[in-house]
Amino acid sequence: MQKPLHLLFTLGALFLLRPATAQEIDSTERVGGGADTIIVRNIGSQKKLIVTQTPSQTNIDLISGSSPYSGRVPKRWKWYGGHWSGVGIYYNGLVRNLGSMKLPNGAEYLRQSPKSIGVNVNLVDLTIVSNRHFGLITGLGFEINNFRFDRDITLTQDENGYIVPDYRYDRPGVDFKKTKLTTMYLNLPLLAEFQFGRSKAGKRAPGFINFGVVGGLRLQGHTKVKYLDETGAKHTEKQHSSLNLRNFHYGVECNIGYRWVAVSARYYPQSIFVSDKGPNVQQVNIGLSFLL
């Protein structure tokens, strides 16, 4: 009894795979390549023959016009890279911690103005592992922070080497133009990314969310002051040393976006200054990223 059934099944498969006549075949499409291949043959106006080939097996499906999948190729997700490389612009602020967006007592002089704008220049991202919707990515980029002080002060060290405000510019007749602390870091992220939405062949899915950790090495840091003195003369002063800035930082990052734009946030839980050498203030960045 089994032999006739096997024979019947074999004949049916051969019928589906037989060379079709010119009237039957409207088009043949080959999707993908390598390990996974999908071959779609449009037979007439009401049927599709779909052959899915993998290294271990070949699946054959005949879809009729009444099927809910009629007119659509079964979607095989491919990973075409993550979303990190690009340019970002953000507000960078200083807080006591993420749960309290205020500054510590005695460090109110570090209050930032709305002009505290930083820039990310992420040169490249690299996929470590991936599986259709999910990938683990890393990369390399620069983070440039501009902490613009709301008051007419700069930073200096006291006799104990602790960072304190310098009020020598806050006097009658001095017209302050700019005062800020700038830091630059070389960053390396490790992010888990999930992609969603319909993707076109050879392109990434349009929607994504990635999150993880980021660490960086400080390349430079300095204060900058621009002002007009009592005579109207312009002055620009920079200080590159004795700022007690942390040489390494680490934090958490999250990006939520669609296609080439994302809302980005980053938080560093440790102080920007060396422990016990400056106010205990944490950095938070919130802005937009424009991706490659």
Side-chain angles (χ1 to χ4, degrees), residues 5 8 41 53 102 108 116 124 130 215 226 231 248 273 280 284:
L5 290 177
L8 183 61
R41 300 178 66 185
Q53 296 175 330
K102 297 181 180 179
E108 291 82 4
S116 293
V124 64
S130 64
K226 285 186 176 183
T231 66
F248 299 93
F273 299 107
N280 184 19
V284 59

Side-chain angles (χ1 to χ4, degrees), residues 105-225:
N105 293 332
E108 291 82 4
Y109 60 88
L110 292 175
R111 186 172 64 247
Q112 300 297 293
S113 79
K115 297 180 180 179
S116 293
I117 302 299
V119 176
N120 280 328
V121 181
N122 298 330
L123 303 176
V124 64
D125 57 56
L126 175 67
T127 299
I128 301 174
V129 294
S130 64
N131 182 14
R132 298 186 181 179
H133 305 273
F134 169 81
L136 191 64
I137 63 175
T138 185
L140 197 65
F142 295 98
E143 176 184 323
I144 305 170
N145 304 299
N146 291 296
F147 301 102
R148 295 282 293 270
F149 301 125
D150 192 45
R151 300 184 61 179
D152 295 344
I153 58 98
T154 187
L155 301 179
T156 189
Q157 286 185 346
D158 64 11
E159 61 275 9
N160 298 316
Y162 193 85
I163 294 297
V164 294
D166 184 350
Y167 293 105
R168 59 193 170 96
Y169 302 100
D170 189 9
R171 63 181 189 270
V174 174
D175 183 10
F176 239 72
K177 298 299 182 182
K178 179 188 295 185
T179 175
K180 67 176 182 175
L181 168 66
T182 297
T183 61
M184 176 184 289
Y185 286 85
L186 180 65
N187 282 342
L188 183 73
L190 183 62
L191 306 175
E193 178 168 318
F194 296 89
Q195 298 179 357
F196 52 89
R198 280 195 152 219
S199 62
K200 296 181 180 179
K203 295 184 179 181
R204 295 174 297 191
F208 67 92
I209 176 171
N210 61 45
F211 54 89
V213 296
V214 58
L217 168 68
R218 183 169 64 87
L219 302 179
Q220 68 156 307
H222 67 269
T223 59
K224 184 177 182 179
V225 174

